[in-house]
């Protein structure tokens, strides 16, 4: 059991991880160097908690207590008391490596240093540290407060004690951890990406309409979303990075992103978050 954890990165995923931890009664130090990013995170969490209260899933008192457990900070020194860290910054190995080098030096007593990466090898991130045995992956799924799964990614040098600590924390946060080796895609994305890219290629080649592709999988396979809807939900830019990572590692054509995805990303059509993807999410008018 942990009493306080650190979250590095106050974007969509970092905010969700912080909210989930606070909801489970764990104290959170949420670090982000930019004040405006922290303000957006604070508002994002407040909106999420407000929706939970309005739907009767949380009392006003519990909502207040949840928000009081989260300490927003622009100072890495404030992470001193944390017992473990989850990093959730941009999917860039250089940026993550520098963060882990800093955390490794600043937090000698942390039980584990985890990355929420969905595509970067944990061994590559751990190579920036002097204690790679406590570095591992904790891959949460979006939206974090709703999704139960966490992939616990074990690198070559990860110590079993760090794995056990991280799995216990995932369970403490109300998640279901599954263990995987450190290779591109881990478990879920290695299975999911070929399916999604097959849907994109089918649409790109004019084989079927986007609606029929999605309805086919929803009604024929009982999926809650069709492949193109799910691409929009995840974000085409995020998927493209995962595809590149998988293709770089395995050199198999089913992992290669179709040309259409690159054109859509260049045009700013990244999915729901930009208002346009395979579908149009912009308000009418």
């Amino acid at each position: 059991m942990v009493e306080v954890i650190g979250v590095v990165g106050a974007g969509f995923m970092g905010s969700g991880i912080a909210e989930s931890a606070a909801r489970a009664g764990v104290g959170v130090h949420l670090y982000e160097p930019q004040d405006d990013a922290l303000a957006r995170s604070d508002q994002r969490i407040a909106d999420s908690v407000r929706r939970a209260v309005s739907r009767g899933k949380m009392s006003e008192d519990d909502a207040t207590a949840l928000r009081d457990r989260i300490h927003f900070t622009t100072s890495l020194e404030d992470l001193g008391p944390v017992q473990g860290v989850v990093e959730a910054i941009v999917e860039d190995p250089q940026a993550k490596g520098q963060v882990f080098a800093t955390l490794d030096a600043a937090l000698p007593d942390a039980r584990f240093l985890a990355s929420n990466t969905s595509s970067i090898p944990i061994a590559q991130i751990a190579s920036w540290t002097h204690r790679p045995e406590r570095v591992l992956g904790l891959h949460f799924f979006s939206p974090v407060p709703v999704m139960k799964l966490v992939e616990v990614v074990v690198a070559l040098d990860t110590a079993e004690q760090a794995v056990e600590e991280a799995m216990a924390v995932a369970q403490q946060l109300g998640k279901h951890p599954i263990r995987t080796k450190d290779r591109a895609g881990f478990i879920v994305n290695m299975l999911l990406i070929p399916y999604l890219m097959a849907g994109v290629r089918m649409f790109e080649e004019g084989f079927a309409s986007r609606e029929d592709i999605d309805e086919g999988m929803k009604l024929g396979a009982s999926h809650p979303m069709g492949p193109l809807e799910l691409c929009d939900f995840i974000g085409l830019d995020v998927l493209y990075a995962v595809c590149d990572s998988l293709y770089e590692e395995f050199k198999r054509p089913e992992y290669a992103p179709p040309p259409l995805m690159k054109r859509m990303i260049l045009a700013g059509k990244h999915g729901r978050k930009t208002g346009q993807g395979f579908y149009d999410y912009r308000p009418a008018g």
Side-chain angles (χ1 to χ4, degrees):
M1 298 284 286
V2 297
E3 295 179 0
V4 59
I5 67 167
V7 178
V8 175
F12 184 73
M13 291 301 293
S15 299
I17 295 167
E19 180 185 339
S20 294
R23 187 173 295 200
V26 178
V28 181
H29 290 255
L30 179 54
Y31 167 77
E32 173 69 51
Q34 302 297 326
D35 284 317
D36 55 347
L38 284 179
R40 289 193 296 271
S41 176
D42 190 10
Q43 187 60 55
R44 187 180 292 118
I45 293 171
D47 291 343
S48 176
V49 170
R50 192 178 301 113
R51 286 193 297 270
V53 171
S54 68
R55 294 168 183 169
K57 296 181 179 180
M58 184 183 299
S59 70
E60 290 282 1
D61 288 344
D62 287 342
T64 300
L66 184 158
R67 296 195 63 196
D68 287 345
R69 292 187 192 103
I70 303 174
H71 172 60
F72 297 89
T73 180
T74 58
S75 173
L76 267 175
E77 293 179 357
D78 287 344
L79 297 185
V82 306
Q83 294 155 302
V85 176
V86 182
E87 166 273 318
I89 67 168
V90 64
E91 283 288 277
D92 178 278
Q94 185 83 6
K96 287 183 185 290
Q98 290 173 351
V99 164
F100 271 76
T102 301
L103 293 173
D104 185 50
L107 304 175
D109 297 325
R111 301 173 190 172
F112 62 85
L113 303 177
S115 176
N116 183 57
T117 182
S118 59
S119 60
I120 299 170
I122 301 301
Q124 183 177 1
I125 297 171
S127 70
W128 286 73
T129 73
H130 293 292
R131 292 176 58 189
E133 66 273 11
R134 61 177 180 162
V135 180
L136 73 162
L138 274 180
H139 181 214
F140 291 80
F141 287 77
S142 179
V144 180
V146 176
M147 300 293 281
K148 292 292 186 182
L149 186 67
V150 174
E151 290 178 313
V152 180
V153 188
V154 184
L156 287 173
D157 294 320
T158 307
E160 187 61 30
Q161 182 177 352
V163 176
E164 291 174 359
E165 292 275 7
M167 293 191 75
V169 168
Q171 291 171 330
Q172 187 178 348
L173 268 54
K175 307 301 182 185
H176 182 95
I178 57 175
R179 181 169 174 160
T180 175
K181 290 183 178 179
D182 179 23
R183 65 177 187 177
F186 312 139
I187 294 173
V188 174
N189 281 332
M190 192 169 184
L191 295 171
L192 179 63
I193 292 299
Y195 158 68
L196 295 180
M197 294 307 103
V200 174
R201 291 189 190 95
M202 187 176 286
F203 176 66
E204 181 181 49
E205 294 164 4
F207 187 86
S209 71
R210 62 187 181 184
E211 291 83 5
D212 285 346
I213 293 169
D214 284 342
E215 290 301 315
M217 293 309 296
K218 287 192 287 187
L219 299 179
S222 295
H223 289 193
M225 290 184 185
L228 302 181
E229 288 178 293
L230 187 52
C231 285
D232 279 353
F233 184 79
I234 296 169
L236 272 63
D237 55 334
V238 174
L239 282 174
Y240 198 91
V242 176
C243 286
D244 270 351
S245 176
L246 283 164
Y247 186 75
E248 178 65 26
E249 184 141 322
F250 300 109
K251 295 296 190 291
R252 292 169 61 174
E254 60 264 36
Y255 296 124
L260 175 62
M261 278 186 62
K262 183 174 183 179
R263 278 23 178 216
M264 291 176 69
I265 292 168
L266 291 172
K269 299 180 179 181
H270 296 185
R272 284 180 179 267
K273 61 187 175 184
T274 60
Q276 286 181 289
F278 290 103
Y279 295 88
D280 195 329
Y281 303 93
R282 295 171 297 177

